[in-house]
Structure formats: structure tokens, C-alpha cells
Amino acid sequence: MTTEGLSGFPLEWARDLVDVALREDLGPEGVDVTTLATIPADQTRTAEIVARGPGVVAGVPVIGLVLDAVAERIGGQAPSVEVVSDDGARLVRGDVIARLQGPTQVILVAERTILNVMSRLSGVATHTRCWADALEGTSTMVLDTRKTTPGLRWLEKYAVRCGGGTNKRMGLYDVAMIKDNHKLAAGSVAAAYALVRERFPDVDVQVEVTTPAEAREAYEAGARFIMCDNMSVDVLRETVELLRAAGEPVEIEATGGLTLEVVAEYARTGVDFVSVGGLTHSSPIVDIALDLVD
């Protein structure tokens, strides 16, 4: 499982995203017809990136990446960036995230790409923070899933860390997860587990279960990382007690049907993790704006 903290901004993925976003915005000719027509090339201004509502900021390094890319495309110097609120900071309406100083053309061409990315990532961080706060006082951590926006996974998972969450796995390659279809295709939990262990002996293996009996079967097959899917609190508690009494340490995750209102109750069953696909697939954006200032 990936458990790195706030460090590790996915720079290369961010560069790729910025390139795609600018190609979308500037079209085949690479121009912003409004800005280039109305703003002299030698004009310089100061601008502030400001929160229009409360939230947790994520994606600040994107600001410089977009400004550099725009300056390269249209010519001229990249504006300077003064960071006021670092990634992970809690914001209230009116808080300044960063101040920019430099060519007005570059700032305005870069504006929408910066805001689109930061609003999205800050929304993920803000939503994650709500779950982390709901689990405060317990030993349970909130995990993300692979239910991410194609092309944005590394950035969205970075935003989860900004909000106090933990990354479960980055893809299909770093953790094996045996689910119902794998069990059916292989013939049983034990068969599926043995096949993964034989082919990929160094990869962590998690098994999804839906009943205490299935959890016992997974444990006896060798699984020490077990995901309990769509269990009621009572059934989950029974499953946790069974696995804790089995002898060897087991990492236990609960998923499916969780809400902010009930997650603390689930945490009190003794699970190590709860996983929430909604962190990345259903987070509303944080309203962030860019304003030129005198």
C-alpha cells in the first residue's frame, strides 16, 4: 500500500496534463484571440489566485508549470509566483493562495488552466479532509480507490494526501486485489490467492470478502490484507474479531455504502482502513478565482 505523505507531487504527470489542457484551450493555432487582441505584449500586472469559498488547497505547483508552458508558447517571460497558501492548507473565502507578477498576456492565457486544475484537486482534498476529520480520534485511515478521472489519477491521489487521506494502490500493477470475478474464474479464493502468489510473489495481495466465513477462507489461504465489502456494522465487527483472533496480524479494510455520518461507527469495529471511491469520483470543486489587482 502507498502510504507516503504530502511529498511526492507527480511532476511529470502534471506536465503532461498541462500540455493537454493548453492544447485544448488554445486550439490548433495556439492562440488566445481575446487576450492577444486586447493586452499589449509589454504590459505587466500583479494578479492574485483567491479562494471564493472554504476548502483545502491542492495543486499549487501547477501554477508555475502552467505559466512556464504559456510563456514558452506565446513568447515572453514567465511571471513570478509568490506562494501564500501551501498545499494542504485550509482556506476560507477571500484567502490568497498565490500572487503572480509579470506579463499580463501570460497570466490571462494561463488563468483558466490553472483554475481548472486547482479547483478540481482542491475539491478532492477538501472532500478527503471531511472524511479524515470524521475519523479523528480513531486509528482508522481513509483510503482512495482506482475510481479516478482518466489521466488525472496521480494528481487526484496527490490531492487525497493533501486532504489527510492515504493512497491504497496506484493501479493494477502494485497491489493484487482478488475480487469476486477473480475467485469465480480461478475456482475459489484459495486457488486465486495461490495463483497470484505463484506468478507475482513480491506483490501485496488483498482479498475482497463479503461474509465472516469468506474472511476465514481468505485468511486460511494466506491472505493478510482483507477488504470487507458492503458489510453491516455488526457483521463487520464479527469479521474483525474473527480475524484478530486468528493469530497473525491482518490489515482489514471496510468499503461499500459508507457515509460521513456512519464512518466513525465503522471505525470503532477496529478496521485499519475505510476506502471511499467518492473521494475522487464525486468531489465538488472548490471555487478558486484569479483577479488582477492594482
Side-chain angles (χ1 to χ4, degrees), residues 2 18 44 73 138 141 186 216 224 246 289:
T2 303
V18 168
T44 61
R73 278 168 169 77
T138 76
M141 295 187 289
R216 180 186 295 277
R224 298 297 181 264

Side-chain angles (χ1 to χ4, degrees), residues 133-282:
D133 287 347
L135 290 168
E136 190 171 355
T138 76
S139 60
T140 304
M141 295 187 289
V142 62
L143 303 178
D144 53 21
T145 71
R146 287 171 46 243
K147 296 175 182 177
T148 54
T149 309
L152 295 186
R153 177 171 299 175
W154 282 78
L155 285 158
E156 288 177 344
K157 283 178 171 280
Y158 169 78
V160 165
R161 300 200 300 276
C162 290
T166 300
N167 300 150
K168 178 177 180 177
R169 59 174 180 162
M170 300 309 293
L172 296 171
Y173 57 90
D174 54 343
V175 175
M177 184 187 293
I178 297 172
K179 305 185 77 171
D180 287 344
N181 286 334
H182 303 105
K183 290 180 251 180
L184 182 63
S188 68
V189 171
Y193 184 86
L195 288 168
V196 173
R197 268 282 155 259
E198 179 182 351
R199 181 71 182 274
F200 300 103
D202 298 324
V203 172
D204 288 338
V205 183
Q206 183 179 41
V207 178
E208 178 188 75
V209 302
T210 57
T211 66
E214 200 172 23
R216 180 186 295 277
E217 182 184 1
Y219 178 88
E220 290 175 351
R224 298 297 181 264
F225 185 12
I226 294 175
M227 181 173 71
C228 302
D229 185 33
N230 280 303
M231 291 184 181
S232 67
V233 170
D234 290 340
V235 173
L236 180 63
R237 185 178 295 108
E238 179 186 350
T239 304
V240 171
E241 290 172 356
L242 181 156
L243 291 171
R244 297 296 185 220
E248 296 186 20
V250 182
E251 288 186 303
I252 307 171
E253 171 190 343
T255 191
L258 302 176
T259 66
L260 284 168
E261 291 71 27
V262 302
V263 70
E265 187 177 2
Y266 275 79
R268 285 192 287 271
T269 65
V271 294
D272 301 290
F273 311 104
V274 293
S275 59
V276 182
L279 299 183
T280 49
H281 72 58
S282 296

Side-chain angles (χ1 to χ4, degrees), residues 25-104:
D25 221 16
L26 298 176
E29 301 300 321
V31 295
D32 171 352
V33 295
T34 310
T35 295
L36 296 184
T38 60
I39 309 296
D42 60 351
Q43 184 185 110
T44 61
R45 293 290 295 269
T46 298
E48 292 180 340
I49 297 175
V50 182
R52 288 282 192 262
V56 174
V57 66
V60 169
V62 169
I63 299 171
L65 293 179
V66 177
L67 293 172
D68 288 345
V70 169
E72 182 178 348
R73 278 168 169 77
I74 70 172
Q77 185 177 357
S80 63
V81 180
E82 176 195 356
V83 175
V84 180
S85 300
D86 288 316
D87 281 349
R90 294 182 188 251
L91 304 172
V92 298
R93 177 179 171 83
D95 278 352
V96 175
I97 298 169
R99 291 189 181 90
L100 319 180
Q101 173 66 44
T104 312

